Amino acid sequence: MSNEKIKVAITQGDINGIGYEVIFKTLADPKITELFTPVVYGSSKVAAYHRKALNISNFSLNNIRSGEEAHPKRVNIVNCLDDNVRVELGKATETGGMAAFEALKKAVEDLKNGFVDVLVTAPINKNVTFSDKFNFPGHTEYLAEQFNATSHIMLMVSPKLKVGVVTGHVPLRDVAELLTMERILDKIRVLEKTLRIDFTIRKPRIAVLGLNPHAGDNGLIGDEEINVIAPAIEVARNEGIMALGPYPADGLFGSGDVGKFDAVLAMYHDQGLAPFKSIAFSEGVNFTGGLPVVRTSPDHGTAFEIAGENKADESSFREAVYLAIDVFKRRKMHDEISSDPLKNADRRDLDGSDQ
């Protein structure tokens, strides 16, 4: 493997939120550039505004035009906005949304060109970012289109727990209709592949949740478990995937049995993310599985209510950077092993996978 440092593209997110604060706090350690080369996509003027608001000194940014020019021993910034952009801390503004999208667009362009290696996105406010140019519920859907990923999954990651969702940013009233056997099976498959390749879990065990209370109680409280979820699990198991369930969400998370699994597949956003964030909020990372590129983000939002107050916890953002680097290295290792028949043979001898 190459010893060349990984270039981490970091988007500024909403300029009125805590994006710059968690970026500054994560990159403040002078030794950080020994681990990777940071390339922030945003605005040096907006960065200076936040630095002043947060009273941060001794932190300089190296201005570049693209990730290709990144200095390996500096914190680099690619200017994506004109200098007239206005910061209004704590407010959801059209300008804030536009600025978030421009930074994301430029970072994705550099990622496609191979100028940077991985992408870490600071939080956006979907209400103001949503526009004719950004007609997506969030980062995940935009990146899936940009990189032609037909199968992808939003996966929340922490050392204690990994939770994926079948349906993401959709109204709760639409969930049951969106839960088809094909969709659930697709998410099980992409989750299994992600766990195997990106997290080097050789034979992942996946707990699949039911949709209804008590996982439907044998059809007494809804029949999605019987007609849709269980059949999808059965097909997955016939393909050699260790998918188990459907489990009642409260029982699985409440009993501690969740620790017996490598990941949980929830049917909808809050079913999975509410318990995840209660267990692992400060260290949780949002990872997009199924993309040909590596993308992570912190598991929190723009936190407008504390913007500019120096109260933001950067732990989740820091973990997002580290996870992106780790997954990039694991994928590289997987590709090297897959392309080398001798290494494949050695691996079979070691793990007994030819038995």
Side-chain angles (χ1 to χ4, degrees):
M1 278 177 66
S2 166
N3 289 323
E4 194 175 321
K5 273 192 301 183
I6 292 168
K7 287 185 187 177
V8 179
I10 296 170
T11 58
Q12 65 183 354
D14 194 295
I15 59 172
N16 299 320
I18 60 167
Y20 274 101
E21 183 177 341
V22 295
I23 291 169
F24 290 153
K25 287 177 174 178
T26 297
L27 303 180
D29 184 346
K31 292 180 181 176
I32 205 84
T33 53
E34 292 173 19
L35 301 174
F36 63 93
T37 301
V39 184
V40 179
Y41 289 78
S43 156
S44 48
K45 185 182 176 184
V46 172
Y49 181 99
H50 280 270
R51 238 183 3 246
K52 188 176 179 184
L54 298 164
N55 198 22
I56 293 173
S57 55
N58 303 323
F59 189 93
S60 61
L61 293 160
N62 179 45
N63 282 284
I64 56 174
R65 286 170 297 183
S66 81
E68 191 178 25
E69 300 175 359
H71 191 296
K73 294 183 179 177
R74 301 283 302 275
V75 177
N76 303 277
I77 188 163
V78 177
N79 281 293
C80 307
L81 313 172
D82 70 45
D83 282 345
N84 298 321
V85 68
R86 189 172 173 214
V87 180
E88 296 180 73
L89 286 176
K91 291 183 181 177
T93 68
E94 200 174 300
T95 301
M98 175 276 296
F101 176 58
E102 290 301 323
L104 178 63
K105 192 169 65 171
K106 177 61 177 167
V108 166
E109 183 187 312
D110 277 6
L111 199 54
K112 286 178 177 178
N113 287 328
F115 297 159
V116 290
D117 299 309
V118 299
L119 175 64
V120 182
T121 57
I124 59 172
N125 180 294
K126 295 178 184 70
N127 292 330
V128 293
T129 307
F130 191 88
S131 66
D132 292 341
K133 292 178 183 175
F134 190 86
N135 191 10
F136 302 91
H139 280 113
T140 304
E141 296 81 3
Y142 173 74
L143 292 166
E145 186 195 75
Q146 287 295 307
F147 292 97
N148 301 313
T150 50
S151 296
H152 56 87
I153 190 165
M154 183 168 79
L155 184 65
M156 307 305 291
V157 177
S158 82
K160 301 171 190 166
L161 183 64
K162 294 178 184 67
V163 177
V165 292
V166 176
T167 61
H169 301 115
V170 297
L172 193 55
R173 65 175 175 269
D174 298 340
V175 169
E177 193 179 327
L178 290 167
L179 288 181
T180 62
M181 182 180 147
E182 292 74 20
R183 185 187 289 262
I184 295 166
L185 186 57
D186 175 67
K187 298 298 182 186
I188 292 173
R189 285 171 178 154
V190 72
L191 176 56
E192 190 270 345
K193 187 178 179 183
T194 295
L195 292 170
R196 204 163 23 83
I197 295 172
D198 295 339
F199 295 92
T200 59
I201 300 167
R202 201 167 67 82
K203 191 71 177 172
R205 288 170 56 85
I206 299 168
V208 182
L209 299 182
L211 170 66
N212 300 294
H214 305 171
D217 235 349
N218 294 318
L220 288 173
I221 320 172
D223 57 10
E224 285 83 4
E225 287 75 14
I226 295 168
N227 296 335
V228 184
I229 303 171
I233 294 170
E234 188 179 355
V235 174
R237 286 182 69 84
N238 289 337
E239 293 176 3
I241 296 172
M242 280 289 290
L244 302 159
Y247 294 102
D250 60 342
L252 186 74
F253 287 112
S255 65
D257 283 349
V258 71
K260 297 174 184 175
F261 297 94
D262 297 299
V264 176
L265 182 63
M267 293 299 112
Y268 58 92
H269 186 281
D270 284 17
Q271 184 188 44
L273 269 65
F276 177 87
K277 291 189 178 184
S278 68
I279 292 167
F281 187 70
S282 65
E283 57 191 1
V285 176
N286 182 345
F287 173 73
T288 309
L291 293 180
V293 294
V294 179
R295 178 262 171 163
T296 63
S297 73
D299 69 353
H300 57 71
T302 54
F304 284 146
E305 67 280 3
I306 58 166
E309 294 181 16
N310 209 4
K311 293 178 181 176
D313 182 349
E314 76 280 11
S315 307
S316 177
F317 194 85
R318 185 184 291 117
E319 290 302 320
V321 171
Y322 291 157
L323 179 63
I325 293 168
D326 288 346
V327 171
F328 183 81
K329 288 177 178 175
R330 289 172 197 151
R331 284 191 184 181
K332 208 167 184 180
M333 187 169 65
H334 177 269
D335 290 345
E336 287 176 4
I337 290 168
S338 301
S339 63
D340 188 334
L342 290 174
K343 283 184 181 177
N344 267 324
D346 291 344
R347 197 177 185 201
R348 282 197 295 272
D349 290 342
L350 285 168
D351 66 20
S353 55
D354 59 338
Q355 295 170 16

